[in-house]
Amino acid sequence: MTQAHSKPAQPGNLLAAIPAHLPDELVDVLLQHKGLRIERIVSRGHCSADGFWYEQTEHEWVMLLQGEAILRFEEGDKQVRLSSGDYLNIAAGCRHRVEQTSTETEAVWLAIFFAE
């Protein structure tokens, strides 16, 4: 029987390596495995395009590590304001959009996508 060898775990920092110039939202996939994806998303004044709604087949647990943001949910036309440390679970199929993200400092998100 053979034993698989892997490299030692390497630490990372979700607030490091953010480009000074950010013309588009930055999305880094940190981990992907069966039914699971973890992303770091960096926004600086970015928001969803007019009329665009996310409607994902996966659930999304998201935490705003730094900055501020406003999400809008189609059902009930509800707005949710997030600040550093706030988190939220977005059920699969729940139509939502990013209305606003902070401009003075980056909005840094940790997003965990998972299946049922």
Side-chain angles (χ1 to χ4, degrees), residues 70-73 75-81 99:
I70 299 173
L71 299 179
R72 179 178 296 279
F73 293 86
E75 186 175 326
D77 193 32
K78 180 182 173 185
Q79 278 192 357
V80 176
R81 292 183 176 274
E99 288 286 303

Side-chain angles (χ1 to χ4, degrees), residues 8 10 15 24 36 41-42 51 57-58 60 89 91 94 99 111:
Q10 295 296 313
L15 302 177
D24 297 310
L36 175 72
I41 304 167
V42 181
T57 58
E58 311 154 295
E60 178 182 3
N89 190 57
C94 179
E99 288 286 303

Side-chain angles (χ1 to χ4, degrees), residues 7-8 11 20 26 30 32 35 38 42 45 51 64-66 74 94 113 115:
K7 295 180 182 178
L26 176 67
L30 305 174
Q32 190 157 358
I38 301 175
V42 181
L64 192 60
L65 301 171
Q66 172 181 291
E74 185 180 53
C94 179
F113 299 89

